[in-house]
Amino acid sequence: MSVFAAQGAMAQESAPASSPAAGAGAADAAQKDATTLGAVVVSGTRASIQKSQALKQDAVGTVDAVSAEDVGKFPDQNVADSLQRIAGVSVDRSGGESRYITVRGFGPEFNTVLLNGRTMATENSGREFSFDVLPSELISTAEVFKTSQANLSEGGIGATVNIKTRRPLDDKGFHIAGSVSAVDDSMSGETKPKFSGLISNTNADGTFGALLGFVRYQRNHLSESIDDGGWLTGTNGVNGIAIPRTIEYKVNQEDRTRTGVNAAIDWLPSEKVRVTLDAMYSKYEIDAHANGFGLFMDPADVKQITADGNGTALSAVRGNTGGLANDHIVSSNPRDSTNKQVGVNVAWDLTDSTKLDFDGSYSKAEENSGGKGYFLVMGARNVGVNPTWNLNPGAFPSYSNLLPSTDTNDLRAHFVDREGDNRSDELYEGKISLTKNFFEGTLSQLQFGVSGSKRTKESVTVRSSDADLNCAYCGYAARVPGSLASVFNAGSLVNGASLGAPTQWLTFDPEAYLAYLSSPAAYNQFAPGGEFYDPNDPNRAQRIADALTKYGGFKALPVPQSQWLVEEKSYAAFAQANFENTFHDMPWQLNIGIRFVKTDATSRAVSSQVESITGTPGDPTNAQVHFTPPIPIARSTSYQDWLPSMNFRINVRENLVLRASASDTLTRPTLTSLRISEDIGVRPPGPGTINTGNIDLKPYKARNYDLGAEWYFNDTSYVGLAGFYKKVENFVTNVTRPTTIQGYPFMETLPVNANTAVVKGAEFSFQYTFDRLPAPFDGLGMQANYTYVDSKQTFDPSIATGQFAVVGLANSGNLIVFYEKGPIGFRAAYNWRDEYLSAVRGSQGEPTTVKPYGQIDLSASYKLNDHVSLFAEATNVNNETEAAYSRYESRAQWVADNGRALSFGIRGSW
């Protein structure tokens, strides 16, 4: 979508076609900080609500928006947090922050995200966009287009989200705004600073303006989680009884730092030409360190087991020979994301009624965490006791009858790994559009445009050698000095969700542990004369010493067979006609358009064959895979589509609006599904796994129908009801088939287009400001919405395999109460998302369902004067925890606690 489409065509809907300024006036007006409500000038929350309502009311299709309350003051700390207040929008969280959005049940890969009308690259492995990389202080408006039209960029079956930054010519003259605050994490107990600022200036005649904004955010975040790694079922379970793969208790400490800068220039070299330049840079770093305690399940070691009627284990007794070890885990899953975008737009009024628009942009995102993460394990075998696993119905499973979790007397080395991925996503985009306005007659506007883009996504895994080093000590076969370990206090562990869970275990310094494993004191335990010398494997010590020399220690290196690259070129052309007239004194507007899209994709990788598979002595749940040297491979595909669209709006009365829309939309397959590289793993018991992509995947295609009605009481109050129906073809399903490599059984999984689904639902929205109440109650207001979404594709948990379902579908709702009167402002927001299926084939190939989640956020402010105010904000004040289960609710899968976050500070604007 060109900037013309973002700021012109979209605003065209809110300006009469007979106006030469259509496409700029309404959008510009919507950006002002102070808004006229009747004869009263309002700002803050009510101004934000009025701007958003005006955008919704004037649109031909179904559009919702969130606007900044003031310069540098978006309603929430995170853009996605604000978007989730919109009917039909819900979020997926990471470390207590909203990261991805789901719209009308369609997850992040189904939603197109634009910044100032331009597609943004993403550091993720697919197309999904991480909203937590965007500082909300730099955002002016976020628009959610739930219905499509020809001049919108294709790709969003769920929605197209356009995020606008502030423009220099929004207000003439010199302006400066900023804030300083402290961010306190309830679980870590640490407080970190946050700074933001924005400065802009224009010349006297308003023909040139420049803007610079920045933000620096830090948070020391602590979270707690319990995860069982999914459930082993069927032949992988115990005599057909399902039992979890493991239990891992984890306390994760993160230092989060986000830095954002944006710059913009507006220039009017003549009355006919407008030039705009935008640049955005964001860097998000998470330095993570986790302490875990794991208890890994080996079905062959289970001596006694009981189960309920659906085959879920109730209790299990393990052997007393040490088949279960107390695993002390130190791990890190860091994040080092960089996003940048630069774009230029030139709008030229050829005549009073004809406009030519050019837009070009470049965007790049990188994730540079390759080799920076680690997963290190040392353990102590439970010899002489019979560990007992219990389901703990209504809580989380746990073990009892274990050896002390803080005992350092017989520590053994086990699995070690340095890991992480390096990814980059580079995107070039160019667009040209021509607009012709007509001042008389029903036809009000014609638009034509062409666009092209080139996107290159590549990824490589960087890790220490899996074949030679990561499992060199697997099997708990070498002693570790107790002096390397110390006691870690775990706290309550998700408020005691796992009955009898340990509150203390051992931790250790990662570098000291790796240094010891690199020393002769460790590997010579396998040498002749060593305590653990095995005549059946006499060269083990030398193999480890040679591998350490070969790789320079436990050093992470790029894994050749993990490399993949997908290059995607897309071309589009569109034509759209806008009509407007009246029918029996009822004004109506109609846009009809067609968009043609052609896509060429090439996937490149390297291929390695499995050379051998060797078991791990002393550990029947591990094995190593050895590969042949890699060779380059490549495959290509091409497809094209026609995407018609229609949007209609009629004002039955001045304040009563009816809408109807129909369109075809598409979403291209996620880029990870297009890769042709292979991920090969072996984890006994059971077969190994091979996961690969499929370059021949076709895009998801949807036929969409929408109906809506809204009754506007005034500029800040309305009630609305909308219904939607989507029939989606080419859903991607993972197909798994058995195969054998080097005499070892594998299950090979690849994605294919295989299913069609219907998704339908309804949205109810209500917004009201109590202006007619006597003071001081006239400062009250409320917003409420509820979304119902359903699919004909139901999921039956009793059917073990072969099912298809649309994941992410969930009813959701919001309730917001706010007060703004004089110097006082307050808002309480409750956001709720019902239970939903998050994966048909999740951990251990079993379905994963996320339980309902409801969170309360509060904010308050006090104006010291017209320029300076104090504020405080709190998220998740009800301390809600997240949880999921596998297939049946009794099979708990994970539970997590991210605690609360509180910020307080001072904000100024001049």
Side-chain angles (χ1 to χ4, degrees), residues 658-801:
L658 302 181
R659 305 180 193 276
S661 300
S663 65
D664 284 355
T665 55
L666 66 76
T667 291
R668 297 180 179 89
T670 189
L671 294 166
T672 48
S673 295
L674 298 177
R675 65 181 177 89
I676 55 175
S677 61
E678 294 181 334
D679 295 329
I680 299 177
V682 177
R683 194 68 190 259
T689 58
I690 303 174
N691 292 288
T692 186
N694 181 1
I695 187 62
D696 294 321
L697 288 175
K698 299 302 181 184
Y700 303 84
K701 289 285 297 289
R703 177 68 52 85
N704 313 281
Y705 302 98
D706 291 77
L707 291 173
E710 298 128 30
W711 179 20
Y712 294 90
F713 312 135
N714 54 48
D715 288 346
T716 55
S717 303
Y718 79 96
V719 61
L721 181 65
F724 57 89
Y725 177 96
K726 297 175 180 288
K727 184 176 181 181
V728 186
E729 300 175 344
N730 295 336
F731 263 104
V732 174
T733 298
N734 287 326
V735 173
T736 302
R737 57 197 180 198
T739 187
T740 301
I741 301 177
Q742 298 292 338
Y744 196 94
F746 278 85
M747 298 298 291
E748 183 182 22
T749 301
L750 77 160
V752 298
N753 297 113
N755 295 284
T756 298
V758 171
V759 176
K760 58 186 184 297
E763 298 170 349
F764 171 79
S765 302
F766 177 76
Q767 180 173 287
Y768 194 79
T769 55
F770 295 88
D771 303 315
R772 296 179 180 271
L773 291 179
F777 303 105
D778 54 344
L780 280 170
M782 69 173 295
Q783 297 171 294
N785 60 63
Y786 180 82
T787 300
Y788 166 80
V789 61
D790 192 20
S791 173
K792 289 183 178 180
Q793 297 293 331
T794 58
F795 184 81
D796 186 350
S798 65
I799 301 176
T801 59

Side-chain angles (χ1 to χ4, degrees), residues 130 169 205 216 252 268 406 543 657 733 832:
S130 298
L169 292 183
D205 59 3
R216 173 79 170 182
N252 191 32
L268 307 178
T406 57
R543 284 202 313 273
V657 177
T733 298
W832 170 82

Side-chain angles (χ1 to χ4, degrees), residues 37 45 65 374 384 444 452:
L37 178 59
T45 301
Y374 49 82
S444 60

Side-chain angles (χ1 to χ4, degrees), residues 300-373:
D301 185 53
V302 174
K303 306 305 179 186
Q304 300 175 26
I305 191 167
T306 61
D308 64 12
N310 62 26
T312 302
L314 294 172
S315 65
V317 179
R318 303 283 297 269
N320 63 1
T321 60
L324 174 66
N326 292 343
D327 284 339
H328 307 286
I329 305 166
V330 171
S331 63
S332 176
N333 186 23
R335 187 173 166 195
D336 186 0
S337 304
T338 302
N339 294 68
K340 52 191 175 184
Q341 185 187 75
V342 61
V344 62
N345 180 270
V346 179
W348 180 17
D349 292 331
L350 301 177
T351 68
D352 289 343
S353 62
T354 306
K355 179 179 178 181
L356 182 65
D357 192 281
F358 166 79
D359 191 270
S361 64
Y362 170 79
S363 180
K364 187 172 185 179
E366 295 178 289
E367 173 60 49
N368 295 305
S369 58
K372 297 178 182 178

Side-chain angles (χ1 to χ4, degrees), residues 794-837:
T794 58
F795 184 81
D796 186 350
S798 65
I799 301 176
T801 59
Q803 289 195 86
F804 164 74
V806 182
V807 299
L809 296 181
N811 301 333
S812 59
N814 290 276
L815 177 62
I816 301 172
V817 177
F818 64 89
Y819 180 84
E820 193 173 50
K821 183 74 173 179
I824 298 174
F826 176 80
R827 186 185 71 159
Y830 176 70
N831 175 263
W832 170 82
R833 186 180 186 183
D834 202 358
E835 179 176 285
Y836 65 95
L837 184 71

Side-chain angles (χ1 to χ4, degrees), residues 87-346:
V89 181
S90 51
V91 299
D92 295 311
R93 294 174 172 84
S94 172
E97 288 191 68
S98 299
R99 184 173 181 181
Y100 305 121
I101 66 167
T102 293
V103 182
R104 291 180 167 181
F106 288 87
E109 68 273 20
F110 290 96
N111 300 301
T112 299
V113 178
L114 311 172
L115 181 66
N116 294 319
R118 305 173 180 114
T119 308
M120 282 200 73
T122 169
E123 82 284 1
N124 296 302
S125 57
R127 302 180 191 276
E128 58 275 10
F129 182 77
S130 298
F131 282 85
D132 56 6
V133 303
L134 284 180
S136 61
E137 290 82 0
L138 306 181
I139 305 305
S140 172
T141 306
E143 303 169 327
V144 180
F145 292 82
K146 298 177 182 177
T147 58
S148 183
Q149 56 191 50
N151 60 3
L152 283 175
S153 290
E154 73 282 351
I157 285 179
T160 298
V161 180
N162 185 36
I163 300 169
K164 297 180 179 179
T165 55
R166 192 169 180 82
R167 300 237 55 88
L169 292 183
D170 284 346
D171 294 292
K172 291 183 180 180
F174 178 80
H175 297 274
I176 185 170
S179 67
V180 179
S181 61
V183 181
D184 179 76
D185 188 277
S186 67
M187 295 184 67
S188 71
E190 301 244 355
T191 302
K192 293 290 184 179
K194 180 179 182 180
F195 307 92
S196 68
L198 188 145
I199 184 170
S200 67
N201 197 11
T202 70
N203 59 5
D205 59 3
T207 59
F208 183 86
L211 176 150
L212 180 67
F214 71 92
V215 65
R216 173 79 170 182
Y217 162 90
Q218 291 178 274
R219 180 183 177 186
N220 190 299
H221 176 59
L222 187 143
S223 61
E224 299 171 350
S225 64
I226 311 172
D227 194 327
D228 60 24
W231 285 64
L232 300 169
T233 60
T235 57
N236 292 328
V238 181
N239 299 323
I241 297 173
I243 197 163
R245 171 84 279 186
T246 187
I247 295 179
E248 183 183 351
Y249 305 101
K250 185 164 71 173
V251 178
N252 191 32
Q253 183 77 42
E254 296 178 332
D255 288 323
R256 295 176 169 237
T257 304
R258 178 167 53 230
T259 304
V261 179
N262 85 301
I265 292 175
D266 289 346
W267 180 37
L268 307 178
S270 72
E271 294 182 355
K272 301 288 187 179
V273 179
R274 182 185 182 102
V275 180
T276 61
L277 176 68
D278 299 276
M280 168 72 81
Y281 172 86
S282 177
K283 186 173 182 62
Y284 196 15
E285 297 173 282
I286 300 178
D287 183 10
H289 179 86
N291 289 285
F293 183 76
L295 298 159
F296 204 81
M297 175 61 67
D298 178 8
D301 185 53
V302 174
K303 306 305 179 186
Q304 300 175 26
I305 191 167
T306 61
D308 64 12
N310 62 26
T312 302
L314 294 172
S315 65
V317 179
R318 303 283 297 269
N320 63 1
T321 60
L324 174 66
N326 292 343
D327 284 339
H328 307 286
I329 305 166
V330 171
S331 63
S332 176
N333 186 23
R335 187 173 166 195
D336 186 0
S337 304
T338 302
N339 294 68
K340 52 191 175 184
Q341 185 187 75
V342 61
V344 62
N345 180 270
V346 179

